[in-house]
Amino acid sequence: MLPDLPLEPVLEIIGVFVSGLSGALAAVRKQFDVFGVLVLAWAAGLGGGMLRDVFLGAVPPVGISDWRLIATAVAAGVVMYFFHPSLVRARRAIVVLDSGALALFTVVGTVKGLEYGAAPVAAVFVGVFTGVGGGVLRDLLTGEVPVVLHHRQLYAIPSLLGAVAIAGLWAADAYTTATSLLVVGGIFALRVLSLRFHLHAPGPWRGRAGWHGEHT
Amino acid sequence: MLPDLPLEPVLEIIGVFVSGLSGALAAVRKQFDVFGVLVLAWAAGLGGGMLRDVFLGAVPPVGISDWRLIATAVAAGVVMYFFHPSLVRARRAIVVLDSGALALFTVVGTVKGLEYGAAPVAAVFVGVFTGVGGGVLRDLLTGEVPVVLHHRQLYAIPSLLGAVAIAGLWAADAYTTATSLLVVGGIFALRVLSLRFHLHAPGPWRGRAGWHGEHT
Amino acid sequence: MLPDLPLEPVLEIIGVFVSGLSGALAAVRKQFDVFGVLVLAWAAGLGGGMLRDVFLGAVPPVGISDWRLIATAVAAGVVMYFFHPSLVRARRAIVVLDSGALALFTVVGTVKGLEYGAAPVAAVFVGVFTGVGGGVLRDLLTGEVPVVLHHRQLYAIPSLLGAVAIAGLWAADAYTTATSLLVVGGIFALRVLSLRFHLHAPGPWRGRAGWHGEHT
């Protein structure tokens, strides 16, 4: 049996770093200046948690008050600023790591919602926002339509399923380090497998003609 | 005399459904996937109320905690997802219904602001945000400049006048179900009449040349 | 020695007016209608303070509750609406005044953060958000990528240095009207000198080839 170690802070820092890389990469591609690169690392790494904290009334949000998380996001920005020619080639690795961040943020966010006494449905929403919010903020700040809304990959769906699982475990008094890591692993596996096997969410329904953009 | 029935919850659900349709329609037009359609239904239906609740400190906001409202928005998304070819033809009806949602949200939002002890000016702002905020969020998430800021239709003006009327009734201790329904009707009528008679807010002032984009 | 006069409210009103002009100018350029011009004046003048207040839990935020600040922003919008042909020619003056607003908002925001008991790092963030947030909101609402993220001028850097200076003075118990005005002057001077001497933040690092967009 696993002890209830304070794993969450460590996992959260890893998630912030990887998400921060994705934000800084988007900024580099848009030819932002060095300040813009750091801000995008911060927004992508901590934006989901900011939204979560504002919705829970947990102010000031960790994104501006927890210096360890802020330093982590800034470090991700600095790394991407200097090494982006190499890191662009490692994009596949970043996508996989980012799936890990999605999984971690979802679980950490849902649990924080429940700890703040939110109803299960609110905690689930908060968890999904924590998971996908950083990417949405990254896209809005770089002038893009949020990719999670139209790319048809399975990204929010694994997050949603994981948040529901955590809320269920919490209600059943079965939330432990072990079960939470299981959910993290499940979200991550679903996301990575969907990438590997090109599973997609359907586009707009076209009646008898089937889905628009259906992959035949 | 009308009894003070709990009309507001019913009216709010209708407003969320209709606004949700407008959000889902925007998502379908942008070829968002099914998740994006549901998110846009949620953002358009509940975004104004989210902003209201965050500004009032009423957290978690109803948009993530009231399962009836969330289910209503999701239902609007599902309906639009499957029936959008027919519903696009019903666009005129949706615009009229959306005017009703504007009226309902404005009144509900202003009253909630006053109930939370906000000063009249703050309650008026909160009411207008509740009325127009969902549409602004819908536009930002689909990569559009918010239509309320440049389309020159009378949309925010009726909302503003209605919110001021509610704050006045409240201050005069004359806020009842009957008077609030009168204000809802007034906002709705002003909006629909402005559509029918092509009333416009003026564009940028051009000095002696009159307004830019003036309809002559 | 300067008495501790209530200078801040006066300085804040000046800042709101000048920032409001910049927002209204952006709206006029985008051919927004009169309502859109007023909203952009409000968003640019008060958006930074809204973000600050939401992050501090100081709700309702001053941007919807302080009628003097709201009236100031609206007045800026009205002035720009009617006089924009002349004011466009005064753009250089507006840029200088806007540097003053950046300085004032940064100091006022950082101090409010500290007064609300935020940790120094959070207060610094809140100060910078107060300084640059209005411009970011202005850009997002007009469909632009926030200029502060990519224009390579020194804009956020002076704000950040000033916020750190205020937090340091506060910690050293040396925050007075005199020292705070010194910091306001320092931020302003750094910003104006960087404009005058074309100092830039570096763009993306390109390895041995130097910075992209380097000014040779």
Side-chain angles (χ1 to χ4, degrees):
Chain A
M1 188 185 142
L2 275 171
D4 275 0
L5 288 175
L7 263 177
E8 277 161 21
V10 175
L11 297 178
E12 195 168 16
I13 280 179
I14 297 171
V16 168
F17 188 81
V18 177
S19 301
L21 287 180
S22 86
L25 180 60
V28 165
R29 284 191 176 143
K30 292 274 176 174
Q31 303 288 343
F32 281 10
D33 64 32
V34 61
F35 173 75
V37 172
L38 298 183
V39 169
L40 262 287
W42 172 84
L46 293 165
M50 304 278 287
L51 207 55
R52 172 198 65 202
D53 289 353
V54 167
F55 283 169
L56 293 175
V59 290
V62 295
I64 67 168
S65 60
D66 187 327
W67 67 266
R68 294 167 308 172
L69 295 182
I70 295 166
T72 302
V74 168
V78 169
V79 166
M80 184 57 80
Y81 180 73
F82 283 111
F83 300 110
H84 62 90
S86 321
L87 287 169
V88 165
R89 284 195 289 275
R91 199 163 36 185
R92 188 185 292 262
I94 292 179
V95 168
V96 173
L97 287 170
D98 185 64
S99 305
L102 176 73
L104 293 169
F105 283 159
T106 299
V107 170
V108 170
T110 310
V111 169
K112 184 162 185 176
L114 294 164
E115 284 173 348
Y116 269 75
V121 63
V124 165
F125 262 79
V126 161
V128 174
F129 282 141
T130 313
V132 309
V136 170
L137 191 56
R138 174 199 66 207
D139 293 344
L140 290 178
L141 288 176
T142 53
E144 301 289 332
V145 173
V147 69
V148 69
L149 298 176
H150 65 85
H151 65 162
R152 300 183 188 173
Q153 294 179 358
L154 298 191
Y155 192 82
I157 306 294
S159 171
L160 182 61
L161 294 176
V164 169
I166 292 291
L169 288 169
W170 190 274
D173 215 8
Y175 175 79
T176 63
T177 296
T179 55
S180 76
L181 286 179
L182 267 179
V183 175
V184 168
I187 299 171
F188 179 73
L190 189 52
R191 166 79 178 133
V192 169
L193 289 174
S194 79
L195 285 171
R196 176 68 189 79
F197 293 106
H198 301 290
L199 301 180
H200 289 81
W205 175 255
R206 302 286 285 257
R208 290 193 192 157
W211 282 279
H212 178 88
E214 195 167 14
H215 299 263
T216 51
Chain B
M1 187 185 142
L2 276 171
D4 275 1
L5 289 173
L7 263 178
E8 278 161 20
V10 174
L11 298 178
E12 195 168 16
I13 281 179
I14 297 171
V16 168
F17 188 80
V18 177
S19 301
L21 287 180
S22 88
L25 179 60
V28 165
R29 283 189 177 146
K30 292 273 175 174
Q31 303 288 341
F32 282 10
D33 63 33
V34 62
F35 172 75
V37 172
L38 298 183
V39 169
L40 262 288
W42 172 83
L46 293 164
M50 304 278 286
L51 207 55
R52 173 197 66 201
D53 290 352
V54 167
F55 282 170
L56 292 175
V59 290
V62 294
I64 66 168
S65 60
D66 187 328
W67 67 266
R68 293 166 309 171
L69 296 181
I70 296 165
T72 303
V74 168
V78 169
V79 166
M80 184 57 80
Y81 180 73
F82 283 111
F83 300 110
H84 64 88
S86 322
L87 286 169
V88 165
R89 285 194 288 275
R91 197 164 39 183
R92 189 186 292 262
I94 292 179
V95 169
V96 173
L97 287 170
D98 184 65
S99 304
L102 175 73
L104 293 169
F105 283 159
T106 299
V107 171
V108 170
T110 310
V111 169
K112 184 160 185 177
L114 293 164
E115 284 174 348
Y116 269 74
V121 64
V124 166
F125 262 80
V126 161
V128 174
F129 282 140
T130 313
V132 309
V136 170
L137 191 56
R138 174 199 64 207
D139 294 343
L140 290 178
L141 288 176
T142 53
E144 301 289 331
V145 173
V147 69
V148 70
L149 297 176
H150 66 85
H151 65 161
R152 300 185 187 171
Q153 294 179 358
L154 297 191
Y155 192 82
I157 306 293
S159 170
L160 182 61
L161 294 176
V164 169
I166 292 290
L169 288 170
W170 191 275
D173 215 9
Y175 175 79
T176 63
T177 297
T179 56
S180 76
L181 286 178
L182 267 179
V183 176
V184 168
I187 299 171
F188 180 73
L190 190 51
R191 167 78 180 135
V192 169
L193 289 174
S194 80
L195 284 172
R196 174 69 188 76
F197 294 106
H198 301 290
L199 301 180
H200 289 80
W205 175 254
R206 303 285 285 255
R208 291 195 191 154
W211 282 280
H212 178 89
E214 195 169 14
H215 300 265
T216 51
Chain C
M1 187 186 144
L2 276 170
D4 275 1
L5 289 174
L7 263 177
E8 277 161 22
V10 175
L11 298 178
E12 194 169 15
I13 280 179
I14 297 171
V16 168
F17 188 80
V18 178
S19 300
L21 288 180
S22 87
L25 180 59
V28 165
R29 284 192 176 143
K30 291 274 175 173
Q31 303 289 341
F32 282 9
D33 64 33
V34 61
F35 172 76
V37 172
L38 297 183
V39 169
L40 263 287
W42 172 83
L46 292 165
M50 305 278 287
L51 207 54
R52 172 197 67 202
D53 290 352
V54 167
F55 283 170
L56 292 174
V59 291
V62 294
I64 67 168
S65 59
D66 187 327
W67 66 266
R68 294 167 309 171
L69 295 181
I70 296 165
T72 302
V74 168
V78 170
V79 165
M80 184 57 80
Y81 179 73
F82 283 111
F83 301 110
H84 63 89
S86 322
L87 286 169
V88 165
R89 285 195 289 275
R91 196 164 39 183
R92 189 186 292 262
I94 292 179
V95 169
V96 173
L97 287 170
D98 185 64
S99 305
L102 175 72
L104 294 169
F105 283 159
T106 300
V107 171
V108 170
T110 311
V111 169
K112 184 161 185 177
L114 294 164
E115 285 173 349
Y116 268 76
V121 64
V124 166
F125 262 80
V126 161
V128 174
F129 281 140
T130 313
V132 309
V136 169
L137 192 56
R138 174 199 66 206
D139 294 342
L140 290 179
L141 288 177
T142 53
E144 301 289 332
V145 173
V147 69
V148 69
L149 297 176
H150 65 87
H151 66 162
R152 299 186 187 171
Q153 294 179 358
L154 298 191
Y155 192 83
I157 306 294
S159 170
L160 182 61
L161 294 175
V164 169
I166 292 291
L169 289 170
W170 190 275
D173 214 7
Y175 175 79
T176 64
T177 297
T179 56
S180 76
L181 286 179
L182 268 179
V183 176
V184 169
I187 299 171
F188 180 72
L190 190 52
R191 166 78 180 134
V192 169
L193 289 174
S194 79
L195 285 172
R196 175 68 188 79
F197 294 105
H198 301 290
L199 301 179
H200 290 79
W205 174 256
R206 303 285 284 256
R208 289 193 193 157
W211 281 279
H212 178 89
E214 195 168 15
H215 300 265
T216 52

